[in-house]
Amino acid sequence: MGQATGETAMQTRIRHYRKLRGLTLQQLAERVGTTAQTVSRLETGNMTVSMDWLQRFADIFELHVADLIEGGRGREIDLLGTLAGDGAVLSNGDADGTSITLDVPADRPVAVRLAARVGRYEAGDILIGNRLEGADLAGTHGQDCLVPGEGHTLYLRRLARETDGTFTLMPLDSGGDIRFGVALDWAARIVMRVSYFRDAR
């Protein structure tokens, strides 16, 4: 017996994108209009996923349905600039057009290259972040993130979300400046680090 048209038993990437957005099962269930148990069953493949379900999740995540059912694939990522030792990014500017292509766990990836060591990250590393906005910023609490400063400046900071929705920005190295009560339009949570081995000879 074949399956009904419009349904698929394949594994999806619902859990992948839920975790990228920092959502609990209950939070995602409320947005979709179902129960946390149903979301869990859909994530694990214990329940047949119809195209209707996929479209509902795609709408929540602001993705195409194909993004939820296709396997990993290379993504072109905007390289925003080079990160200096103080955690500030020297921006490429809007007209540079520099990018790298990788398969990364992010639906809105951006990247920076480190010119010097910052916290646990080494000079030469490329840090890739998933850019989050609005309600999704809640998923940046306690995470290393790229955050916008004035002009084309970016900073690599550990974020702490306050009860009023603003953030405390903490440096990754001791002695740096701490900023309190910062309202963020967006932040890119670091989801991947690309390190290049250097010849030790």
Side-chain angles (χ1 to χ4, degrees):
M1 297 286 294
Q3 286 187 307
T5 302
E7 295 188 342
T8 177
M10 70 177 63
Q11 292 293 313
T12 71
R13 306 185 76 201
I14 296 170
R15 174 179 288 174
H16 167 83
Y17 284 107
R18 174 174 65 81
K19 290 183 176 295
L20 278 181
R21 300 304 177 99
L23 297 172
T24 65
L25 284 168
Q26 184 60 42
Q27 289 170 331
L28 180 55
E30 289 172 0
R31 293 190 184 191
V32 176
T34 187
T35 65
Q37 181 181 15
T38 297
V39 172
S40 178
R41 293 174 64 198
L42 290 166
E43 285 186 347
T44 57
N46 292 328
M47 178 177 173
T48 300
V49 184
S50 67
M51 288 303 296
D52 177 63
W53 276 117
L54 289 174
Q55 188 61 61
R56 289 162 72 178
F57 284 111
D59 290 343
I60 294 296
F61 295 137
E62 297 182 346
L63 303 168
H64 295 291
V65 169
D67 292 321
L68 294 175
I69 58 178
E70 292 180 355
R73 62 179 189 266
R75 298 284 302 269
E76 187 171 285
I77 304 166
D78 293 333
L79 188 62
L80 300 180
T82 299
L83 194 69
D86 63 356
V89 172
L90 307 175
S91 174
N92 285 328
D94 295 333
D96 188 272
T98 304
S99 64
I100 57 176
T101 303
L102 290 172
D103 181 17
V104 297
D107 55 295
R108 297 186 65 194
V110 294
V112 294
R113 189 188 315 272
L114 276 66
R117 181 173 182 166
V118 181
R120 60 192 174 122
Y121 307 111
E122 300 290 341
D125 286 353
I126 293 176
L127 301 184
I128 300 171
N130 187 36
R131 180 169 167 152
L132 303 172
E133 300 174 359
D136 293 328
L137 281 170
T140 65
H141 177 72
Q143 303 294 317
D144 295 347
C145 297
L146 297 170
V147 295
E150 295 180 2
H152 290 301
T153 305
L154 296 172
Y155 292 95
L156 176 60
R157 295 291 187 262
R158 176 71 55 86
L159 271 55
R161 189 170 189 268
E162 307 301 336
T163 55
D164 64 357
T166 63
F167 289 84
T168 297
L169 311 183
M170 297 169 286
L172 303 190
D173 293 306
S174 60
D177 63 314
I178 301 175
R179 296 180 59 195
F180 300 93
V182 179
L184 294 175
D185 292 327
W186 64 270
R189 181 165 60 89
I190 302 302
V191 295
M192 186 174 179
R193 174 174 67 176
V194 179
S195 297
Y196 292 90
F197 292 102
R198 295 161 188 82
D199 192 342
R201 293 176 296 176

